[in-house]
């Protein structure tokens, strides 16, 4: 399948995730400003994909007449929670003294690496799931989107589903809709349908009830930043899922590339949580759904304490916090 984000010789090409599932649309981004806008409005999203976007943003900056380092910083600050974005920027920027072609080569290597790394991380995580779940075939629960659309081309947590499905070990996937922007209903469900994996979409608030009814064998999520102690920042609602999973004895497995681990962050209390536009909550499908003057709390992420995590899996191995 086409990569979620790629370099086409003179532009960054992305699958516009704001258009799915109604329309499969590609965007060509030729300036740093266009890339930053795409990142901030979630046309490209997901920590691993943002790492690639960060590196390609530096490539765009080298091709413009301006301050490359200042433009690279604009990209790095476009979204504060996912460490992969600044990681990709830093890695490409380190090649700047060698010239623009060296920057491009490093960015392309990050693209190739991402597919390999997430394939391996999800392969290892599939074995963790099989070790922790007696029932076959499995009923899995996902939150937000951690599939190929969140990466360059394979997927992290949803990559586990691809591995297990290929072995005939997936009965179905419960897909949290993921309010307020419905990345689960719009993106994860689209990917599962494309792959022929049985699934059902559920309201976010139904997850605990599904576990109580014995409908979930394992919860699989990605991550936007993992602290040194194993605390995990991920899409808002992940913390509540982890609490429910612990209460019901359901394994809670986090899958991410090692670039998502922030060894400089001792624990999750220091992770900056992005708060998004109140309009995302005040309206739905273009229709106002709240009274005039309503105040809004709209964090994009929450932090799950390591005590609630069964395992964090990267391409480097399995960490049981």
């Amino acid at each position: 399948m086409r990569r979620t984000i790629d370099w086409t010789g003179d532009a960054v090409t992305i699958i516009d995730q704001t258009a799915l599932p109604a329309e499969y649309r590609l965007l060509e981004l030729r300036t740093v400003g266009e890339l930053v806008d795409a990142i901030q409005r979630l046309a490209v999203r997901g920590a691993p994909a943002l790492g690639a976007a960060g590196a390609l943003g530096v490539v765009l900056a080298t091709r413009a007449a301006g301050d490359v380092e200042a433009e690279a910083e604009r990209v790095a600050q476009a979204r504060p929670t996912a460490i992969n974005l600044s990681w990709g920027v830093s890695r490409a920027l380190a090649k700047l003294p060698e010239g623009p072609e060296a920057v491009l080569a490093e960015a392309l290597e990050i693209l190739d690496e991402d597919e390999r790394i997430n394939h391996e991380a999800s392969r290892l995580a599939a074995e963790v799931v099989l070790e922790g779940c007696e029932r076959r075939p499995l009923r899995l629960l996902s939150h937000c989107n951690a599939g190929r659309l969140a990466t360059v081309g394979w997927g992290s947590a949803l990559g586990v589903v691809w591995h297990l499905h290929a072995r005939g070990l997936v009965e179905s996937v419960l897909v949290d809709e993921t309010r307020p922007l419905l990345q689960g209903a719009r993106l994860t469900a689209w990917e599962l349908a494309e792959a022929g994996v049985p699934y059902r979409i559920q309201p976010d608030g139904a997850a605990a009830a599904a576990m109580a009814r014995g409908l979930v064998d394992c919860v699989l999520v990605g991550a936007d930043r993992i602290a040194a102690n194993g605390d995990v920042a991920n899409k808002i609602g992940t913390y509540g899922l982890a609490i429910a999973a612990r209460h019901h004895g359901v394994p809670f497995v986090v899958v991410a590339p090692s670039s998502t681990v922030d060894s400089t962050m001792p624990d999750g209390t220091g992770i900056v949580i992005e708060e998004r536009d109140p309009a995302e909550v005040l309206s739905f499908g273009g229709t106002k759904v709240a009274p005039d003057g309503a105040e809004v709390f709209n964090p994009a992420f929450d932090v799950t304490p390591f005590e609630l995590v069964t395992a964090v899996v990267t391409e480097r191995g399995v960490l049981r916090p």
Side-chain angles (χ1 to χ4, degrees):
M1 286 186 170
R2 174 182 286 275
R3 284 176 163 178
T4 300
I5 180 168
D6 209 349
W7 177 254
T8 56
D10 61 352
V12 177
T13 301
I14 65 169
I15 298 172
D16 184 356
Q17 298 186 42
T18 65
L20 290 170
E23 179 184 357
Y24 182 91
R25 180 169 65 204
L26 300 179
L27 297 179
E28 289 190 345
L29 312 172
R30 289 184 165 80
T31 69
V32 168
E34 289 174 349
L35 179 63
V36 168
D37 176 68
I39 292 170
Q40 291 181 334
R41 63 186 183 83
L42 308 188
V44 59
R45 44 149 296 280
L50 290 178
L56 290 171
V58 180
V59 173
L60 291 176
T62 65
R63 295 177 174 232
D67 186 332
V68 173
E69 293 191 358
E71 289 294 272
E73 184 62 18
R74 281 182 64 199
V75 177
Q77 296 301 318
R79 297 192 71 194
T81 302
I83 189 176
N84 303 66
L85 181 58
S86 59
W87 169 85
V89 168
S90 297
R91 186 165 155 182
L93 203 55
K95 296 293 183 179
L96 187 59
E98 301 174 34
E101 291 308 309
V103 173
L104 175 59
E106 187 71 4
L108 295 179
E109 176 60 22
I110 288 173
L111 291 172
D112 292 339
E113 275 183 15
D114 185 77
E115 291 192 81
R116 295 195 304 268
I117 284 171
N118 283 294
H119 194 280
E120 177 63 9
S122 55
R123 183 191 69 81
L124 293 173
E127 296 307 314
V128 171
V129 172
L130 292 176
E131 290 170 7
C133 300
E134 296 181 1
R135 186 187 178 282
R136 307 282 193 281
L138 296 164
R139 300 157 307 174
L140 306 168
L141 188 151
S142 75
H143 188 67
C144 195
N145 172 261
R148 71 179 184 90
L149 290 170
T151 65
V152 171
W154 174 257
S156 54
L158 212 57
V160 180
V161 176
W162 311 146
H163 283 292
L164 294 173
H165 176 63
R167 296 163 65 178
L169 296 175
V170 177
E171 178 180 307
S172 64
V173 180
L174 271 176
V175 179
D176 278 358
E177 60 179 350
T178 321
R179 284 283 296 145
L181 297 181
L182 305 179
Q183 292 97 326
R186 293 190 304 105
L187 306 179
T188 296
W190 183 80
E191 288 196 49
L192 291 167
E194 288 276 298
V197 179
Y199 70 92
R200 287 190 292 173
I201 299 170
Q202 67 179 1
D204 292 355
M211 293 181 206
R213 292 178 60 181
L215 301 178
V216 181
D217 297 312
C218 184
V219 177
L220 294 168
V221 299
D224 288 85
R225 190 181 298 241
I226 302 169
N229 72 333
D231 290 351
V232 175
N234 193 50
K235 176 57 58 183
I236 189 70
T238 303
Y239 181 23
L241 272 181
I243 292 171
R246 174 57 58 91
H247 179 75
H248 294 289
V250 174
F252 184 91
V253 179
V254 178
V255 190
S258 59
S259 56
T260 306
V261 178
D262 185 356
S263 59
T264 69
M265 188 74 64
D267 57 55
T269 60
I271 297 175
V272 176
I273 300 298
E274 174 188 359
E275 292 203 29
R276 294 187 57 81
D277 189 341
E280 294 177 351
V281 176
L282 295 175
S283 63
F284 188 84
T287 300
K288 187 170 70 172
V289 295
D292 290 338
E295 296 292 323
V296 172
F297 175 54
N298 187 22
F301 307 95
D302 56 27
V303 176
T304 299
F306 71 89
E307 295 94 341
L308 298 176
V309 177
T310 303
V312 172
V313 186
T314 76
E315 79 282 4
R316 297 179 179 176
V318 180
L319 178 69
R320 300 186 186 274

